Amino acid sequence: MDIYDTLYMLAAIEELTPEPTFFKRRYFPTDLASDVFGTSKVLADYKEGSRKAAPFVVPRIGALPVGRSGFSTYELEPGNIAISKPLTIDQLTRRGFGESIMSTVTPEMRARRLLMGDLSDLSARVSRTEEWLACETMLNNGCIMRHQTDNPEIYEDIPVTFYEGENNPALFTPAAKWEHGADEHTPGNWYYDIIQMVKMLTRRGKAATDLVVSNDVGNFLMEDPWIQYMMDNRRADYGAINPDALTEYVVSLGRFNFGGRRLEIFVNDGTFEDQDGKDTPFLEEGSAVVTAPNCGKGLYGAVTQKEMDNQWHTHAGMRVPNRISTIKPPADETIVSCRPLFAPKTVSPWTAAKKVFAAA
């Protein structure tokens, strides 16, 4: 069996322990049967939704017909992720990480070990990009995917928006910046604003069960004396703040009552290192999103690549590996490609607020 064959690597990469994600898994799950496409573009269906009620009808005329709920289908171009790791002969002849000083591992054995390690590392990097994409899509009702070249000064921004026109219907703009000590019934107060964000969703017939906030907003909520005061008020049950770490970068603060609706509060304090080496949060600072699980879906387009048989091949999958080998110079290159696009299942199934500490 050739371990460097693409079909073998496809099977191997599926067996790897995936990088733990939260937002991609909770809000944009992928159905392998319907959401992974064998074409370069993907199809996204949006249900329009309806809150129309049934009419009263004069008995003698029978029933009044009503229209069916509509949906729209869009053909979209997913993003393109492709990263690689080179392997040169000097790396094979040196002792590897964790090997003993008197290691008997041969370069051939070391090459096999490095292949699995490289596939795991490259897949984990893709997962971090997907986690950022999930947060960005909910926050902006779309995203801008910056496609890099080998020259940092040359790139192409590919925007995707899930609404028509210039105004984002899922964006909530606070009337004033959030701060402690403000009357909770006053426009611009954080508690009042979150209730309005919930109403924006429920008026569209969408579920509101989760409040996702950035790390600085989470700290703001934890430090707010009003929350502690209301939870100590036994005349009303406002919920409970019991922080629970769900992943290494997501904490559930517990459930809290917002105008009669209990939202579970998730704090995202995760960061990743971008192309410039800058520590970047998955969710932009000063952000809050009200939504519900399974509000979207993770779509994947097919990857077309040239392989060692010198032929073009197209593979459908969430991760598509490849290997390029040269004799002169003697080197291998392990590649992992992915073509993701995260889309809502219905029109605007979330409401987001940005820069809540800098609102005018």
Side-chain angles (χ1 to χ4, degrees):
M1 179 181 293
D2 182 7
I3 65 170
Y4 300 111
D5 181 78
T6 301
L7 294 180
Y8 178 89
M9 290 191 293
L10 275 168
I13 205 169
E14 289 179 357
E15 296 300 320
L16 293 173
T17 301
E19 177 83 356
T21 60
F22 180 82
F23 298 100
K24 193 276 177 194
R25 185 180 68 251
R26 185 175 180 85
Y27 303 112
F28 298 93
T30 297
D31 185 334
L32 296 178
S34 61
D35 296 335
V36 178
F37 293 78
T39 56
S40 61
K41 294 186 178 182
V42 298
L43 295 178
D45 293 336
Y46 303 99
K47 294 178 66 176
E48 305 295 342
S50 174
R51 299 183 65 246
K52 293 183 178 179
F56 293 98
V57 182
V58 176
R60 65 174 178 270
I61 70 168
L64 290 179
V66 296
R68 298 184 182 275
S69 297
F71 71 93
S72 303
T73 301
Y74 294 89
E75 185 181 57
L76 301 172
E77 186 80 27
N80 184 66
I81 299 173
I83 49 177
S84 67
K85 270 196 174 184
L87 177 62
T88 57
I89 190 170
D90 58 313
Q91 295 170 321
L92 289 176
T93 54
R94 290 201 306 263
R95 183 180 68 90
F97 176 78
E99 293 181 17
S100 66
I101 299 296
M102 304 300 292
S103 174
T104 59
V105 176
T106 65
E108 293 82 4
M109 296 167 60
R110 195 171 287 127
R112 290 175 172 83
R113 290 183 180 180
L114 288 172
L115 171 65
M116 296 309 298
D118 290 347
L119 288 176
S120 179
D121 178 62
L122 295 174
S123 178
R125 293 176 185 235
V126 173
S127 294
R128 295 181 195 113
T129 301
E130 290 177 330
E131 195 75 334
W132 169 85
L133 183 60
C135 292
E136 191 77 1
T137 300
M138 290 189 295
L139 183 60
N140 296 295
N141 210 4
C143 61
I144 297 178
M145 296 175 285
R146 174 158 294 183
H147 288 64
Q148 306 281 352
T149 67
D150 52 4
N151 184 345
E153 302 298 324
I154 301 176
Y155 54 84
E156 181 181 2
D157 284 341
I158 299 181
V160 177
T161 56
F162 299 111
Y163 58 92
E164 296 181 356
E166 296 182 357
N167 296 323
N168 178 4
L171 179 63
F172 176 83
T173 303
K177 69 178 183 178
W178 291 4
E179 57 186 359
H180 299 309
D183 184 352
E184 68 270 17
H185 302 294
T186 303
N189 171 265
W190 70 269
Y191 182 75
Y192 178 92
D193 283 346
I194 292 175
I195 292 176
Q196 302 312 306
M197 293 170 68
V198 170
K199 290 181 178 179
M200 282 181 64
L201 270 185
T202 56
R203 286 169 185 157
R204 297 198 297 265
K206 309 298 170 62
T209 62
D210 296 0
L211 171 61
V212 181
V213 299
S214 56
N215 186 48
D216 56 343
V217 176
N219 291 335
F220 170 85
L221 297 180
M222 288 288 289
E223 295 168 359
D224 190 7
W226 180 83
I227 286 185
Q228 185 64 51
Y229 170 77
M230 295 308 295
M231 286 191 299
D232 289 341
N233 185 353
R234 298 307 178 188
R235 291 172 297 176
D237 183 4
Y238 275 83
I241 299 298
N242 299 308
D244 181 24
L246 303 180
T247 72
E248 62 181 14
Y249 58 86
V250 177
V251 174
S252 170
L253 294 186
R255 295 183 179 274
F256 201 74
N257 188 322
F258 293 94
R261 293 185 179 270
R262 284 177 174 267
L263 303 184
E264 186 166 3
I265 305 174
F266 297 103
V267 180
N268 181 359
D269 63 357
T271 62
F272 63 94
E273 186 177 326
D274 66 12
Q275 298 298 319
D276 299 324
K278 180 183 177 182
D279 201 37
T280 304
F282 288 117
L283 183 63
E284 180 183 322
E285 292 184 352
S287 300
V289 181
V290 177
T291 187
N294 300 317
C295 56
K297 49 191 173 182
L299 307 175
Y300 291 85
V303 173
T304 298
Q305 60 190 19
K306 202 165 192 179
E307 299 178 2
M308 287 303 297
D309 60 1
N310 206 32
Q311 300 295 318
W312 292 100
H313 297 269
T314 299
H315 301 278
M318 298 172 65
R319 304 283 189 277
V320 177
N322 194 9
R323 174 179 173 267
I324 298 175
S325 182
T326 59
I327 297 177
K328 188 177 182 180
D332 292 339
E333 186 175 8
T334 302
I335 304 169
V336 171
S337 300
C338 173
R339 303 205 65 206
L341 182 71
F342 296 167
K345 290 182 179 178
T346 60
V347 177
S348 301
W350 40 62
T351 299
K354 300 193 295 183
K355 297 180 173 56
V356 297
F357 299 129

